[in-house]
Amino acid sequence: MATISAPGVGSGLDVKSIVSQLLAIERRPIEQLQSSASKMQTQISALGKLQSALATLQAAASKLTRSDTWGAVTATSSRNQAVTASVSPGAPAGSYSVVVQQLASGQSLASSAYADRTAVVGQGTLRIELGDWDAVPAVPKPGSSAIEVVIGPDDQTLEGIRDRINAAEAGVSASIVNDANGARLVIRSRDTGVENGFRIQVSGDGDGNDTDAGGLSALAFDASGGASHLARTKSAADALAEIDGLAVRSTSNTLSDVVGGLSLTLTQAGTDPVLVSVSADAESLRKSIDEFVTAYNEVVTLLRQQTKVDPGGNGSGPLQGDRSVAMLTSKLRGLIGDNSTASSVFTRLSDIGFDAQTDGTIKVVGGKLDNALSNLGELRKLFAATGDAAATGFAHRLDDWLDAVLGNDGVLDSRTDGLNARLKTNRSQQQRLEDRVALTEQRLLRQYTALDAQLGQLNGLASYMTQQIAQFNRSTD
């Protein structure tokens, strides 16, 4: 049968308080382990933040070793409303005179006016073929073939024909335009250029005549000499331009890679030349250098915060006294402050305006860096040259060193692994002590409950004896 236990009821002894105080003493080693585990977790977190900041610094340093960073160029146009320019990395610097004689355009045809979009046109087959049909002889577009669009009973309205043409992927698009006279079917080339002109031939017209202006044959158009009932509102044309006096022809208004990585987009024809200039993109390069400095300063600031010393001990950084981190700090500052023979003009980063501050960060002196950017070849050597240790650029040095630091066997990984192993052992020790405290609690409760019961019996006996003595004394009197 289960028993109900109420320690302390029989004797007045505060068993729970006694056991709780004894267990508090037993738990002191656990609390010390918990404090140690919390410190290790904080250190692991701090190392993770440091790894992240160093990875950002490595990415910024690696960017300054790449040819596309140093080969960045920009293109400008003296009249953007006529010509815009874009350029690929590594394109040679230069200036080009561009005269836009004609813009490329697509062909556009319009039908006669119908009552509305639901007006019935007719059934049959539209044969759409791309090419220069104004040429003599006509020239079909190379690599293309005629597309036949069948117009059945359910498609013979103006909007039905529009939908069938658009679904055919024949190199043209159709739409319905409403003007003062009614609804018109407008068919346009999807792409510009004379080779993307098109003709439309009709067969199987429901009225039995494939060439008249009635039924589906009203949509015929053939500039090469066939039936033509659609009105041509715009002719297909190639873009024509002169670049430094050389004639250029294109089916589109974008002249891709027309001059060593330079692409031009023509937007307005005219007789005045447009000057397009290609030059080194100093702004982009400066941004990359600024990103490097920012990443370096963030690492230095983080290291200072994580390793700071507080004489009172309460505000010290979690990595204070960590020899591995102290070594990283020393090596990083040494790499940045060292000399290099890579450039014959610049030997130290301070030569290009990297001014070291008292807190270890770098402040860029703008005037010095601007001067260095005007000597791009030597500045590139200072950062990106490869060779022996002394002749290797600073970005390469830092990139290579951070490869080792951040690698799987690097100092940060090893330090983190060591802390994780210690943390695992710590948790196992805590669990063993928790188990021991639980057993101790059970033992103490048994012992003090038994003591409580015995004291209760003794108290009862003492009360009985007191009553008997009192009764004896009364009877004697």
Side-chain angles (χ1 to χ4, degrees), residues 24-40 422-423 426-427 429-430 433-434 436:
I25 297 173
E26 291 287 329
R27 290 190 62 82
R28 285 177 184 172
I30 296 176
E31 292 170 355
Q32 292 173 350
L33 285 170
Q34 289 173 336
S35 177
S36 179
S38 177
K39 182 179 179 181
M40 284 187 283
R422 287 173 53 195
L423 187 60
N426 178 289
R427 287 169 176 163
Q429 291 173 336
Q430 286 187 53
L433 289 175
E434 289 284 4
R436 191 174 76 178

Side-chain angles (χ1 to χ4, degrees), residues 88 99 124 140 142 145 149 159 186-188 198 209 224 230 253 261 281 325 335 384 386 390 402 415 422 444:
S88 303
V99 178
S145 57
V149 182
E159 61 184 359
V186 177
I187 306 173
R188 302 179 179 88
F198 59 94
N209 189 337
S224 63
L230 293 175
N253 288 312
D281 192 352
V325 176
L335 282 170
T386 56
L402 287 172
R415 186 77 180 92
R422 287 173 53 195
L444 290 173

Side-chain angles (χ1 to χ4, degrees), residues 57-385:
L57 176 58
Q58 184 181 27
S62 178
K63 187 176 180 180
L64 287 174
T65 67
R66 300 202 306 262
S67 58
D68 61 336
T69 301
W70 294 97
V73 288
T74 184
T76 59
S77 168
S78 64
R79 199 163 71 254
N80 280 320
Q81 65 269 31
V83 179
T84 58
S86 61
V87 67
S88 303
S95 296
Y96 308 93
S97 175
V98 181
V99 178
V100 183
Q101 300 166 325
Q102 176 179 286
L103 294 179
S105 61
Q107 179 175 293
S108 181
L109 306 176
S111 71
S112 57
Y114 290 84
D116 56 39
R117 64 182 56 233
T118 62
V120 174
V121 179
Q123 302 178 46
T125 300
L126 301 175
R127 188 174 189 271
I128 303 174
E129 190 173 6
L130 301 181
D132 182 2
W133 306 109
D134 289 301
V136 181
V139 182
K141 182 178 179 179
S144 70
S145 57
I147 302 295
E148 293 190 346
V149 182
V150 178
I151 308 299
D154 297 331
D155 310 314
Q156 59 181 325
T157 62
L158 209 60
E159 61 184 359
I161 295 171
R162 174 202 62 192
D163 294 342
R164 291 294 294 169
I165 290 174
N166 288 334
E169 296 294 330
V172 299
S173 63
S175 60
I176 295 174
V177 176
N178 294 297
D179 63 15
N181 297 313
R184 299 178 187 271
L185 183 68
V186 177
I187 306 173
R188 302 179 179 88
S189 303
R190 287 192 180 274
D191 299 311
T192 58
V194 294
E195 68 176 17
N196 291 305
F198 59 94
R199 67 179 179 181
I200 302 175
Q201 297 172 317
V202 178
S203 62
D205 191 340
D207 65 5
N209 189 337
D210 294 340
T211 61
D212 66 358
L216 191 65
S217 57
L219 302 183
F221 182 87
D222 186 356
S224 63
S228 295
H229 301 298
L230 293 175
R232 180 156 57 181
T233 57
K234 194 173 186 180
S235 297
D238 288 340
L240 302 177
E242 282 188 359
I243 300 177
D244 286 346
L246 298 176
V248 176
R249 188 183 191 102
S250 172
T251 59
S252 77
N253 288 312
T254 298
L255 311 181
S256 301
D257 202 26
V258 64
V259 179
L262 175 65
S263 293
L264 304 176
T265 299
L266 314 180
T267 54
Q268 186 183 86
T271 57
D272 295 331
V274 178
L275 183 64
V276 175
S277 300
V278 178
S279 58
D281 192 352
E283 183 178 346
S284 171
L285 184 55
R286 177 157 192 156
K287 182 181 177 182
S288 297
I289 293 174
D290 286 341
E291 288 173 352
F292 170 79
V293 172
T294 299
Y296 175 83
N297 287 343
E298 287 178 353
V299 169
V300 170
T301 300
L302 183 61
L303 283 169
R304 191 173 66 252
Q305 291 171 346
Q306 302 295 344
T307 59
K308 67 179 179 180
V309 179
D310 178 18
N314 294 324
S316 295
L319 300 178
Q320 192 275 318
D322 191 306
R323 288 184 296 175
S324 299
V325 176
M327 179 211 57
L328 289 178
T329 303
S330 176
K331 181 64 175 178
L332 183 61
R333 290 180 176 175
L335 282 170
I336 292 297
D338 206 356
N339 293 337
S340 173
T341 60
S343 167
S344 60
V345 176
F346 311 115
T347 58
R348 300 170 64 89
L349 288 174
S350 58
D351 294 339
I352 65 167
F354 281 27
D355 190 10
Q357 306 298 292
T358 55
D359 61 0
T361 59
I362 293 172
K363 180 180 179 181
V364 178
V365 180
K368 278 190 174 182
L369 183 55
D370 289 339
N371 291 335
L373 286 168
S374 65
N375 194 346
L376 206 56
E378 293 300 319
L379 183 62
R380 177 174 183 171
K381 292 177 185 177
L382 183 68
F383 281 101

Side-chain angles (χ1 to χ4, degrees), residues 456-472:
Q457 292 174 0
L458 290 173
N459 286 338
L461 180 59
S463 178
Y464 173 75
M465 291 298 295
T466 299
Q467 292 173 3
Q468 292 299 314
I469 291 171
Q471 186 176 0
F472 176 76

Side-chain angles (χ1 to χ4, degrees), residues 432-451:
R432 286 198 298 270
L433 289 175
E434 289 284 4
D435 293 342
R436 191 174 76 178
V437 168
L439 293 173
T440 300
E441 182 180 20
Q442 294 174 11
R443 176 173 57 80
L444 290 173
L445 282 172
R446 285 196 304 269
Q447 291 175 342
Y448 279 96
T449 300
L451 176 62

